[in-house]
Amino acid sequence: MKKQHLIFAMAVLVAACSPKAPDIEKQIDDILSQLTLEEKVAMVHAQSKFSSPGVPRLGIPEIWCTDGPHGVRAEVLWDKWSQARWTNDSCTAYPALTCLSASFNPEMARLYGESIGEEARYRKKTVLLGPGVNIYRHPLGGRNFEYMGEDPYLSATMVVPYVQGVQSKGVAACVKHFCLNNDEINRHTVNVNVDDRTLYEIYLPAFKAAVTEGGAWSIMGAYNLYQDQHLCHNERILMDILKGEWGFDGVVISDWGGVHDTDEAVHNGMDLEYGTWTDGLTMGATNAYDSYFLAKPYLDGIKSGKCGTEELDDKVRRLLRLQFRTNLAETYGHGRFVCPEHSEAARRIADEGIVLLKNDGGLLPVKDAEKILVVGENAFKMLTVGGGSSSLKVKYEVSPLEALKARFPEAEIVFERGYSSGAANAQDGISAKFDIAESRSAEQMVADAVAAADGADYVIVFGGLNKNNFQDCEGVDRRQYGLPYGQDELVEALAKVAGDRLVFVNISGNAVAMPWADKVPAIVQGWYLGSEAGNALADVLSGDVNPSGKLPFTFPVAMEDGPVFMEEQYPGIQREGEKIIDEYYSEGVLVGYRWYDTKGVKPMFAFGRGLSYTSFEYGEAVLKGRKLSVSVKNTGKVAGAEVVQLYISDSEASVERPSKELKGFRKVFLQPGESRTVSFDITDDALSFFDADAHKWVVEPGEFVAHVGSASDDIRSSVKFNVK
Ligand code: BGC
């Protein structure tokens, strides 16, 4: 057997035993010694839109990436974003990560990761470009729907099982976008100014957990800048923090087109460059990929002695480690794709993430309905299509309208569109299965909906945002906090004629204004739910599933009530004579409910809020040492789940601390009459703040309060305690 074949066979054997075995490092040394300089440089940049080369003569496979994070993206052409028109690449779409986070159930995150990991493995992908865990900083952020909400503890808790689930199938998770990429406008030129305490307390924890607890095998740099340096080659973030403080041994992948400088990319931790120049062809002498920052310019630099090879060897070592963990590890099988188990998983996650925000007079669940009027474009528009890189080509997507017809076969289901977004429903050559063109005027659509409400037992509006530009969409932010397309007028008009039986289902990944909230008895947050969207919404509306989701971000009454309201905070101030736009995160750690609570501003719907068709009674919280226990009882008539939330306040601190912060949660499923005691260990982590001067987490002695409750604004019991 030739030497390289022997090495390869041994490598596979060891990988099969344990993907982290130290022997792998020795084999990587051997492989490194056989690679030519040209082969190594070829490995650190793309060869197509979503792949980078292997080393064919040594049997080292190519790396194939795919979006992510809600389903496995359709195959695209070698050098273009448009789809390759394969007929075997229609995936299962899972709920958007906002919905996953709203489940407040780490088991759902594990199920999500495993299921999407299997789909990626089946499609022979090395890396899944997700999950996204940028913090929800303000409601205009175009990609908030792809992330896990406004709270670092919640995001950190949910991201770990997602990453582990994906990687348990032999596919690398690529946690994105690291970091401080909290809005879309000017995403390549925004320079974030943030203090260290805020960075460590708010914007880093989810990434840190993904790396140090989840063991993420790859991470994606962000487009924007921090300390005047692009985040795809940012010395502080990638070298000092990620690879230094956190000891990350995986691969840093660039965001597509996020690399801007060879020298910085070489020295500041960028391992694999993708997407430089949009069509991948225009810039190169022979092949544009050769002109990437980590291609010919890098090779020339090494040959001329301007750069050494130490950094290159480190990058290649990381890439080979990724290979042993994924493509070369045969223990994981071949995955599976679009199967009943994946549909079931998507529906369970959606069922657990839907949030019942309001239910006056117990209007929901739907009972004894002879006629149901369904209103709104989102009752039939395909919402898996659009939104940027998370857009999917799905095997199927069940609309709410179809699902309600199937769930209530006895009832007369009437549909009225009510409003129209006017835009085509397509992206990258993938278009929705039906035409959504509309010829009526906005006024006529409202009038028709109002007329159809006559005699309806329920009027259920499916409105909100969608994946069009300037809605929930990558590359652009929303332009307003209010609902688009005249929906406020529609809801007001329907409230006049059907105010006692009106349900509004808000489909979005962002908070929206609801000036009519007082006039609508039932409001549901319906997210983007993927293939099983309609079925899951029908589950909750019909009461087949008792809602148990909780809001992972606050719905303020008005945008100005929130922490980000000055131009310098967002969209930032352009530097004179430069492209750079400075955004100042001057709200500091007061992000989301931390702001509303501390400033005493009452939101429309608070973080952690979510109702049920049953009721839960809490006992008094009891603290023994650092263990806090509380009993919860289902006092209603149907089974249900409650998310018991633990918040901590630091009563006396030398720095301004938020009024309270989430430091624990537990979802408990209870039969009617059943009660359970839930316990939390209050660790030092739950009490500390990041002392920027000392560069460490500090617990200050003094009084703290532990609060347990059903939402951030619904605390049922509080206990004071002292730390010496
Ligand atoms: C997005 C990433 C995505 C990549 C590849 C970029 O524009 O920011 O999230 O993974 O494209 O599609």
Side-chain angles (χ1 to χ4, degrees), residues 49-50 66-69 73 81 129-130 143 146-147 176-177 181 184 187-188 220-221 223 254-257 388-390 474:
K49 271 269 166 254
F50 282 101
T66 181
D67 287 300
R73 188 175 178 157
W81 291 109
L129 302 173
R143 292 186 90 170
E146 287 187 58
Y147 304 142
K176 67 191 189 184
H177 308 85
N181 183 188
E184 290 300 282
R187 61 179 175 167
H188 295 276
M220 185 189 290
Y223 277 137
S254 76
D255 199 345
W256 267 233
S389 57
S390 64
E474 179 181 340

Side-chain angles (χ1 to χ4, degrees), residues 441-459:
S441 69
E443 294 72 26
Q444 191 58 51
M445 281 185 279
V446 172
D448 291 349
V450 166
D454 192 33
D457 300 299
Y458 285 87
V459 176

Side-chain angles (χ1 to χ4, degrees), residues 486-532:
Q487 290 180 71
D488 288 341
E489 290 75 13
L490 170 69
V491 177
E492 294 277 1
L494 288 170
K496 278 197 191 123
V497 295
D500 53 342
R501 47 217 149 95
L502 185 57
V503 180
F504 187 81
V505 182
N506 185 57
I507 305 293
S508 75
N510 250 319
V512 300
M514 297 183 188
W516 33 259
D518 287 348
K519 299 174 201 157
V520 177
I523 302 177
V524 174
Q525 178 56 31
W527 313 117
Y528 299 108
L529 299 175
S531 291
E532 289 286 326

